[in-house]
Amino acid sequence: MMSTIISFLILIGVLVFIHEFGHFIVAKWIGVKVEKFSLGFGPKIVGFKRRNDGTEYLISLLPLGGYVKLKGENPGEELKNDPSEFTSRKVGDRFKIVVAGPVMNIILAFLLFPLVFMIGVQVPQYLKDAPIIGWIEEGSPAAKAGFQVGDLIKSIDGATIKNWEELQNTILTHPEKDLRVSFLRDGAMRKSVLTPITTKDFGAGYVGWECSFDPVIGGLTPQYPAEKAGLKPGDRILSIAKLPIFHWNQVPQLIKNNKEKEIEFEIQRNGKKLFFLIKPEIQEISGEKRPFIGIMPVIKTINEQYGFLESLKKGAQRTCEMGWTTLKMLKDLITFNLSVKALGGPIMIAKLSGQAAQSGLSYFLSFMAFLSLSLGIINLFPIPVLDGGLILFLLFELIKGKPIGVKKMEIAQQVGLAILIFLMVTVTYNDVMRVLPGNIKDFFPWK
């Protein structure tokens, strides 16, 4: 828990600092006075003021954001036509200051992704394999759409799918959307429409298929039933409760179905068949009681690491791909082709940042790069109170030859604030629904 909080604060702190530093440094360069530079909102925790520039540097109580207060930027402030005042500067100067924040977030992504490729990251080997279906969950969207084990996915919505990584990324980013899938079965091309459902934990798409995944034990949790019973890494599970096992995904499902009952495991070890009776241990996770025996699969990985020039190339390519994915998801949200259930807020970001930090530096930096890129792009959207909204006001001023009236600007900002509040309530609700045990209706006595 503590590591998750620390990694989340580091992540948010870096992204906010980079964003606000963009506004700060360009304002200083142009000659606009910066009155405050704050990491966080709300009451001041610590701060100091530099005499040579008159800027107060703060760390404030609420860490989910930050701000740079420029002299003369607020509507209604008394102006003296002083060059150090933000509103007294020409449109071009103000545009540079406003756009600098999002641009710095995008630049950070372009710097971090190449670093990730230079550090190297352990990638599951199957992600590079051809997208051949090795298992399908009963009753899942893939099963309902008629897919079978052995089908080779060739394209989705006309885009060629070369490996499992591309296939997973497409499914994850398109929950609740109809996808036209072309696949090869018995040498013949076929087509089907597949609609991913939204997962409870992360709001991503899920269809219920997997690659081939041998039921071989890769690790054991100390002091759990499997270790106590005598299972060992490298054991191949042949059957559970006399039901044949051909894919790892069958293992947790059959353990769950048997609940607290003692289960017979048939194991192959060094060419010999062995039988074990194992009684699962019940644990409560997010309010749900689940049976565990303490086994983990074998996951073969490959280390992807590249030289400086190749890392720059791949980093730039990854940044563009992630940027395009972000824009596409935003377009799908606006056109109602993507459910708002897919959105996540601070709780989900904290959870993912903790998982990324535990997985290693390259994973954490990759997650930070993606969030920084998304933050930069979203901030450029023409919504009042975002940087994109201020850019829109400047564009109107440039066209009309005079600033927008204070009253109109205040109304526009109130509308923009209402939109942001609605989004924050939505993502917070989604986060809470993902972590609350059971059904939310169970918490209301008048149901």
Side-chain angles (χ1 to χ4, degrees):
M1 181 66 177
M2 184 55 65
S3 62
T4 296
I5 294 173
I6 292 172
S7 60
F8 174 67
L9 292 177
I10 292 173
L11 179 75
I12 294 298
V14 170
L15 297 186
V16 170
F17 174 80
I18 288 294
H19 182 94
E20 300 303 334
F21 182 75
H23 296 310
F24 171 84
I25 198 66
V26 173
K28 290 281 190 181
W29 170 58
I30 288 176
V32 172
K33 183 178 179 180
V34 180
E35 296 179 341
K36 291 184 179 182
F37 185 126
S38 176
L39 289 180
F41 296 113
K44 176 177 74 173
I45 299 176
V46 294
F48 66 93
K49 195 169 187 177
R50 293 182 61 184
R51 293 181 181 178
N52 61 336
D53 62 4
T55 301
E56 185 180 9
Y57 299 88
L58 309 168
I59 295 179
S60 300
L61 183 61
L62 303 175
L64 301 178
Y67 64 92
V68 168
K69 171 62 176 70
L70 305 175
K71 181 180 179 181
E73 71 169 323
N74 293 332
E77 280 191 59
E78 185 179 348
L79 301 177
K80 301 177 181 178
N81 201 26
D82 185 340
S84 66
E85 298 170 337
F86 175 76
T87 309
S88 296
R89 300 302 293 249
K90 59 185 180 181
V91 171
D93 289 341
R94 282 178 279 158
F95 171 80
K96 292 173 186 175
I97 295 172
V98 173
V99 81
V103 168
M104 281 295 287
N105 282 123
I106 294 171
I107 289 174
L108 179 63
F110 272 100
L111 294 175
L112 288 179
F113 274 126
L115 184 59
V116 169
F117 282 105
M118 280 189 281
I119 293 173
V121 61
Q122 292 292 323
V123 178
Q125 184 174 311
Y126 78 88
L127 291 177
K128 305 303 176 183
D129 293 339
I132 300 173
I133 298 175
W135 180 82
I136 295 177
E137 181 183 346
E138 185 178 347
S140 66
K144 292 176 181 177
F147 289 94
Q148 297 178 8
V149 171
D151 288 347
L152 171 62
I153 308 301
K154 301 296 290 184
S155 69
I156 296 180
D157 284 348
T160 301
I161 302 295
K162 298 189 292 292
N163 52 46
W164 269 99
E165 183 174 21
E166 293 181 357
L167 179 59
Q168 283 190 347
N169 287 340
T170 302
I171 298 300
L172 288 171
T173 55
H174 291 85
E176 313 298 338
K177 183 180 179 182
D178 292 343
L179 302 175
R180 301 184 307 278
V181 184
S182 296
F183 60 97
L184 195 64
R185 179 187 297 169
D186 299 329
M189 285 297 299
R190 302 190 180 205
K191 294 183 179 181
S192 183
V193 176
L194 179 66
T195 307
I197 60 175
T198 303
T199 59
K200 179 182 177 182
D201 291 336
F202 301 116
Y206 176 77
V207 296
W209 61 28
E210 293 285 350
C211 63
S212 294
F213 206 165
D214 289 338
V216 177
I217 297 174
L220 298 163
T221 304
Q223 302 304 312
Y224 268 63
E227 184 190 58
K228 292 178 180 179
L231 296 187
K232 295 181 178 181
D235 287 348
R236 175 180 286 271
I237 302 173
L238 300 178
S239 70
I240 296 177
K242 301 191 183 301
L243 294 173
I245 303 297
F246 63 89
H247 194 281
W248 181 269
N249 281 27
Q250 296 174 272
V251 177
Q253 187 61 53
L254 287 172
I255 293 173
K256 182 179 179 180
N257 291 345
N258 280 273
K259 299 180 181 179
E260 300 181 57
K261 298 177 183 176
E262 201 171 48
I263 311 171
E264 182 184 81
F265 280 71
E266 182 183 4
I267 300 296
Q268 185 177 57
R269 181 188 299 168
N270 299 325
K272 297 181 180 179
K273 290 183 180 180
L274 304 173
F275 294 86
F276 298 87
L277 290 175
I278 303 175
K279 185 177 181 179
E281 180 178 306
I282 303 300
Q283 292 187 350
E284 187 170 328
I285 298 177
S286 298
E288 180 184 354
K289 291 183 178 180
R290 301 180 187 177
F292 288 90
I293 66 168
I295 57 175
M296 292 162 280
V298 173
I299 301 178
K300 297 179 181 179
T301 61
I302 55 175
N303 184 50
E304 285 191 337
Q305 190 174 18
Y306 301 89
F308 179 73
L309 293 179
E310 187 66 16
S311 293
L312 287 179
K313 178 182 175 182
K314 286 189 170 293
Q317 182 180 354
R318 178 63 59 86
T319 306
C320 292
E321 289 173 353
M322 292 293 99
W324 177 250
T325 298
T326 301
L327 288 171
K328 199 167 184 303
M329 288 184 69
L330 289 171
K331 187 203 83 167
D332 287 342
L333 277 171
I334 293 170
T335 57
F336 301 104
N337 287 322
L338 180 63
S339 171
V340 292
K341 293 179 181 179
L343 298 177
I347 297 175
M348 189 177 81
I349 292 173
K351 185 176 180 180
L352 291 175
S353 65
Q355 292 177 354
Q358 290 175 3
S359 298
L361 178 61
S362 58
Y363 288 94
F364 185 68
L365 293 179
S366 182
F367 184 54
M368 181 184 290
F370 171 71
L371 278 186
S372 186
L373 181 63
S374 299
L375 179 64
I377 292 173
I378 291 171
N379 257 284
L380 289 173
F381 266 60
I383 300 174
V385 309
L386 293 182
D387 293 325
L390 293 176
I391 292 172
L392 185 63
F393 292 152
L394 292 175
L395 181 60
F396 285 149
E397 182 179 338
L398 189 65
I399 295 171
K400 292 177 63 178
K402 62 178 181 179
I404 294 176
V406 173
K407 189 68 176 175
K408 291 181 179 178
M409 186 177 292
E410 287 178 346
I411 293 172
Q413 288 179 334
Q414 289 171 0
V415 172
L417 184 61
I419 293 172
L420 285 186
I421 290 174
F422 169 76
L423 289 174
M424 282 303 298
V425 169
T426 299
V427 299
T428 302
Y429 173 81
N430 289 345
D431 283 353
V432 170
M433 289 298 291
R434 290 174 186 131
V435 300
L436 274 181
N439 192 319
I440 188 65
K441 295 178 181 177
D442 296 337
F443 289 85
F444 298 99
W446 57 84
K447 66 181 187 297

